[in-house]
Amino acid sequence: EGRLIACFSGALDATELADALLSYMHELRDVLDLDFDIVLGIESMPLRDWTAEWKKSLKPIWVSDNVLIKPTWVPTPEKAPEHIIEIDPEMAFGSGEHSTTRMTLQLLEKNVRSGMSVLDVGVGTGVLSIGALKLGAAKVIALDVDPLASHTARRNAQKNNVASCFHVFTGTLDAVGRVFFDLIAANVNRGQIVRMLPRMSELLPIGGRCLLSGILDVEERIIRESCNEAGLAVLSVRREQEWLAFETEKK
């Protein structure tokens, strides 16, 4: 509010930069016909290995008593759980720090049975797919509209030795053929969920489960209504802070 921080790479002359920024801000104030004070401060940042700094901040995350997520460079805890998911997030979503990822993994732990086929919609880092396979799923098909996410998920699957049971592609649900899945997980956002629910329901047999997250608490009603319209019964809703995760079943 009322403050802007801008970063400039390279060796720039501080005086020239200050003159240019002040001149631009004065012009902007005149054009917008606004009355605001301009205070400019410039700080030179030392060269640092930001990747190394970022890596220091990531710690093992306990999803449950039996499931742990950790980056590959972090040592395995002495009292390790049964299932360890090693995730290097890179630029994709799903390092385990977000509530929606943890809650969806908890629902996977509750619902995955040996030999299941699973569809992961919005794969991100692949954490849900890898978790499902480690929990006993026989195969996972995953998709994401972001090619970077598909690439990251594939790399993480190889690191977790589950790549042989994991197929990921860049695209949408339209590319999934006429096939049934025992379980579908979609940790995306409310708009995408509402749009894809009818199609996801088509891919489930009667009694198949669909796990949904990426949903804010204020969106609960619309998700319940959309599930009902798509033929999915809401079995339970998990809550963490302002986020929700739905466990649903095909009627």
Side-chain angles (χ1 to χ4, degrees):
E1 180 91 16
R3 186 165 180 246
L4 173 67
I5 298 176
C7 300
F8 301 85
S9 61
L12 299 174
D13 182 88
T15 302
E16 291 182 6
L17 179 60
D19 290 344
L21 287 173
L22 284 171
S23 174
Y24 176 77
M25 292 302 294
H26 282 102
E27 290 177 13
L28 188 63
R29 184 171 61 183
D30 294 340
V31 168
L32 297 177
D33 193 24
L34 293 175
D35 183 21
F36 57 85
D37 294 328
I38 302 170
V39 179
L40 179 67
I42 294 182
E43 179 183 357
S44 178
M45 300 293 291
L47 185 63
R48 297 167 68 181
D49 186 343
W50 292 109
T51 300
E53 295 293 320
W54 167 71
K55 284 185 174 183
K56 290 178 185 176
S57 69
L58 293 180
K59 309 294 182 185
I61 297 168
W62 288 85
V63 175
S64 69
D65 290 341
N66 297 315
V67 180
L68 176 81
I69 305 173
K70 76 174 192 68
T72 55
W73 60 83
V74 173
T76 301
E78 186 175 338
K79 294 183 179 179
E82 181 180 359
H83 304 294
I84 298 177
I85 305 171
E86 293 198 319
I87 294 295
D88 292 341
E90 299 178 13
M91 293 296 289
F93 175 78
S95 64
E97 295 182 313
H98 201 274
S99 300
T100 59
T101 305
R102 292 195 302 275
M103 289 191 295
T104 310
L105 275 168
Q106 290 163 2
L107 287 175
L108 281 171
E109 185 179 11
K110 177 182 176 182
N111 285 279
V112 169
R113 300 290 179 267
S114 179
M116 271 188 169
S117 61
V118 177
L119 175 66
D120 184 359
V121 180
V123 68
T125 61
V127 61
L128 300 182
S129 295
I130 295 165
L133 289 165
K134 294 208 169 193
L135 289 164
K139 68 174 181 178
V140 173
I141 293 178
L143 61 97
D144 204 295
V145 295
D146 182 1
L148 179 60
S150 302
H151 175 71
T152 301
R154 194 174 293 111
R155 285 164 55 93
N156 282 324
Q158 292 170 346
K159 293 171 185 175
N160 285 271
N161 299 314
V162 296
S164 62
C165 307
F166 177 66
H167 175 72
V168 60
F169 67 91
T170 303
T172 67
L173 274 177
D174 295 335
V176 179
R178 299 176 63 86
V179 59
F180 285 123
F181 295 89
D182 300 306
L183 183 66
I184 298 176
N187 181 18
V188 282
N189 63 54
R190 187 260 299 170
Q192 293 172 305
I193 287 172
V194 170
R195 186 176 68 252
M196 295 187 295
L197 265 177
R199 176 60 178 146
M200 289 193 287
S201 181
E202 291 176 355
L203 298 172
L204 288 170
I206 300 300
R209 300 285 174 92
C210 185
L211 312 178
L212 309 168
S213 197
I215 302 158
L216 290 165
D217 51 12
V218 296
E219 299 168 335
E220 181 174 357
R221 181 184 58 81
I222 191 171
I223 295 298
R224 285 185 179 274
E225 292 174 352
S226 298
C227 285
N228 185 58
E229 292 171 3
L232 297 170
V234 176
L235 301 180
S236 70
V237 179
R238 293 192 178 225
R239 306 170 190 273
E240 188 172 316
Q241 297 175 335
E242 72 270 33
W243 296 100
L244 306 178
F246 280 66
E247 177 188 23
T248 73
E249 182 177 80
K250 178 74 171 285
K251 300 177 185 178

